[in-house]
Amino acid sequence: MSPEEITATLDRPQGLVLKNRAPLSGKAMGIIDGKLIFRSQRGGGTLDYRYALGEIERLQFPGNEVAFASNELLGAGQDEEALPLMRALYEQRKDYLALLTIGEQAYFARYAELEFKLGDPYAGLGAGLSLLPAIQDPQLKRTVDDLVLLGYYRLPLKQNTRQLANDWIANHEPYGPSALGYYVLGRMEFDQDNYESALWRTLEPVALSSQFPMDYLDYCYALAIAACVELENETEEQSLRQEMAQRGIAWPNIDDLAAYQEPAANPLKTEPTKP
């Protein structure tokens, strides 16, 4: 689809389905004081209606063709080609995220992730931050929460990252489905050459994890091993490597920890490039 075709498609009228009322056709003009402003044709002109969010069953946007095309590209592994289409859909709907279905919110979580990886990282972080208060599904909220925290760490926003990571840990069960907060705090210590602190921070989820999978546990194992190398703690290093192998946990794709992946390739006190 050309940019002109995308714009023309997304500019078509929207549908507003109200609870126990006839649906309307028109255009959402924003949300003010908890009420949706919806502009609809009446007679020879237009009227702006205000509806409390609780009155709304759903807000229907045009653009299914654009969403379908983007999903086809994603399915074919053409993420870069899909990103502009997803961006256009996000711009159309970003002010109404709380009115979207879980499936639509998950679609935009994927958009935020792709924007962060392939496009504008700040736009990806902004989309994640906008999504968080709108999401009700616990699993999707955890996914976006992780994306936001990792975004803060990787972008030059370190002044807020430590507090955000501490808040993340406080709001997540230590044996829950993700270990990202521990990795980020440990990584910040490692980046400042505080290897002992980095080791103990990343060992927390390792010690608490069970047979159930935990996102970013591989990150914590890798960082703990790197800290052991820098501390010349060969006993703990070998123990962690064996445990990682026994649990079938692969070494994560982290460029500046790659030098620690194999013991023979890890001269002590190396200086890997840090982000």
Side-chain angles (χ1 to χ4, degrees):
M1 301 181 73
S2 70
E4 294 76 16
E5 289 174 323
I6 294 171
T7 299
T9 298
L10 299 183
D11 279 346
R12 294 201 303 257
Q14 300 161 4
L16 178 63
V17 180
L18 301 165
K19 296 176 181 177
N20 303 317
R21 297 194 201 177
L24 296 173
S25 177
K27 185 174 180 63
M29 304 304 294
I31 297 175
I32 300 176
D33 297 331
K35 292 187 176 182
L36 174 71
I37 313 301
F38 194 78
R39 182 167 294 170
S40 186
Q41 293 268 346
R42 280 298 178 270
T46 60
L47 286 176
D48 285 353
Y49 297 87
R50 293 172 180 261
Y51 297 101
L53 299 187
E55 299 178 72
I56 299 169
E57 187 169 313
R58 64 184 180 275
L59 182 59
Q60 298 173 321
F61 289 91
N64 287 340
E65 307 95 315
V66 180
F68 179 80
S70 69
N71 283 325
E72 288 283 295
L73 290 167
L74 291 171
Q78 296 177 270
D79 292 354
E80 290 189 32
E81 289 79 3
L83 183 56
L85 304 183
M86 301 177 80
R87 185 182 296 136
L89 286 165
Y90 177 75
E91 289 299 318
Q92 178 200 40
R93 307 179 192 192
K94 65 181 180 181
D95 294 329
Y96 310 100
L97 297 173
L99 297 174
L100 302 183
T101 66
I102 293 175
E104 290 171 319
Q105 291 173 345
Y107 175 90
F108 288 124
R110 178 76 184 279
Y111 156 69
E113 182 180 9
L114 286 185
E115 193 75 87
F116 187 80
K117 290 180 178 178
L118 303 174
D120 181 350
Y122 287 95
L125 181 58
L129 288 168
S130 296
L131 276 165
L132 272 179
I135 296 172
Q136 299 298 318
D137 180 72
Q139 183 173 352
L140 182 58
K141 186 177 282 290
R142 284 195 300 267
T143 298
V144 177
D145 209 15
D146 283 359
L147 177 69
V148 167
L149 178 55
L150 202 56
Y152 265 92
Y153 170 70
R154 289 177 174 170
L155 293 171
L157 303 167
K158 297 292 194 295
Q159 67 273 19
N160 298 321
T161 305
R162 187 176 294 275
Q163 184 58 52
L164 193 66
N166 280 315
D167 291 345
W168 187 101
I169 290 173
N171 293 321
H172 288 70
E173 294 177 342
Y175 43 83
S178 178
L180 180 60
Y182 299 95
Y183 169 75
V184 169
L185 284 180
R187 189 57 202 258
M188 294 182 76
E189 295 293 342
F190 188 89
D191 291 346
Q192 296 174 4
D193 299 334
N194 299 325
Y195 302 122
E196 191 75 38
S197 295
L199 175 61
W200 288 110
R201 179 56 79 180
T202 49
L203 282 179
E204 288 184 64
V206 168
L208 292 168
S209 62
S210 64
Q211 71 273 23
F212 299 107
M214 182 183 284
D215 292 342
Y216 298 101
L217 188 62
D218 53 345
Y219 282 47
C220 287
Y221 267 107
L223 186 58
I225 288 169
C228 286
V229 171
E230 296 297 342
L231 291 167
E232 302 181 27
N233 187 342
E234 294 183 13
T235 301
E236 184 68 20
E237 177 196 347
Q238 291 306 314
S239 175
L240 288 169
R241 289 188 187 279
Q242 290 172 8
E243 189 176 311
M244 202 175 177
Q246 290 169 356
R247 299 182 66 173
I249 298 175
W251 193 271
N253 184 21
I254 306 175
D255 289 344
D256 55 349
L257 293 184
Y260 298 96
Q261 183 169 356
E262 300 295 335
N266 290 344
L268 297 179
K269 298 299 178 186
T270 55
E271 294 292 337
T273 302
K274 296 174 183 175

